[in-house]
Amino acid sequence: MLTTLNTSYTDTRAADLAWTLGREPLPALATLDLELDRAKLQLRLLGASHQVLLEEERGSCSETVACIPGSSTPLPLAVAKQFGVWEYEFAARVEILSPGSFAGRAQELLALVSDHPQGLAGVFPGSPHAFTAMLAQRHDGQVHWRTWHAYPQDGQLVATRTRVGVRTEALSASGV
């Protein structure tokens, strides 16, 4: 699904993105609710980037990657955590592209996500290549999502990849 976000695009930078786990739902400009097997997933586009809310019978997880004033946790390159019954992995990278390459990559990503039934993309008014896009799937009992945050004024594209699943020990203890 592709939407135009009803907010002005401000000159944020990739370096302003922060990452947090467990944050309460923030006001969203667009959402996509998905059911992936027994997992309920909500992809949320914020004025400041993205939030994903995951809920399963064993618990819930929320990930926020956004430009949030006062946040002190910068965007990490990689995170691997265990909490509750969950195993969580996150990775991020920043691509720096020339203006021509950036425009082509932006069009490619927007086409991929907007035509996908489990994808949500939001374009900011005023800049055709300023967007946040998200794509989710369930594979081998785990929920995966990818996101892209575009900063055309700097030629930067931030890509993230997340995997969340129930720890093997928790599955064994529950008899699954």
Side-chain angles (χ1 to χ4, degrees):
M1 176 172 93
L2 178 63
T3 186
T4 298
L5 299 172
N6 189 18
T7 189
S8 61
Y9 180 70
T10 56
D11 286 344
T12 58
R13 302 173 308 130
D16 293 336
L17 285 174
W19 166 88
T20 57
L21 273 179
R23 184 179 284 269
E24 292 296 316
L26 296 170
L29 299 173
T31 62
L32 178 63
D33 291 310
L34 300 170
E35 287 223 16
L36 303 175
D37 196 10
R38 293 177 305 256
K40 291 181 182 180
L41 193 67
Q42 186 177 67
L43 305 179
R44 303 168 58 82
L45 296 177
L46 312 174
S49 277
H50 89 258
Q51 188 173 49
V52 177
L53 306 177
L54 170 64
E55 192 175 311
E56 278 192 339
E57 62 186 30
R58 293 181 185 96
S60 61
C61 171
S62 83
E63 171 190 278
T64 306
V65 172
C67 301
I68 300 172
S71 182
S72 60
T73 306
L75 189 66
L77 293 178
V79 173
K81 284 182 109 52
Q82 292 184 358
F83 58 97
V85 299
W86 299 104
E87 215 170 67
Y88 172 92
E89 289 181 7
F90 172 87
R93 76 179 193 296
V94 178
E95 295 178 51
I96 299 174
L97 303 165
S98 69
S101 295
F102 190 93
R105 183 80 169 123
Q107 290 172 342
E108 174 186 281
L109 288 169
L110 286 171
L112 168 75
V113 175
S114 63
D115 291 340
H116 197 286
Q118 294 165 197
L120 176 63
V123 178
F124 291 90
S127 179
H129 301 124
F131 68 90
T132 299
M134 308 170 74
L135 189 60
Q137 67 177 355
R138 187 167 182 111
H139 180 69
D140 290 336
Q142 299 175 335
V143 179
H144 302 253
W145 59 86
R146 298 190 62 188
T147 72
W148 298 270
H149 307 264
Y151 301 96
Q153 73 278 7
D154 297 325
Q156 293 181 327
L157 182 67
V158 178
T160 73
R161 185 184 74 241
T162 302
R163 180 190 64 79
V164 179
V166 175
R167 289 192 339 248
T168 307
E169 309 87 64
L171 283 174
S172 298
S174 67
V176 175

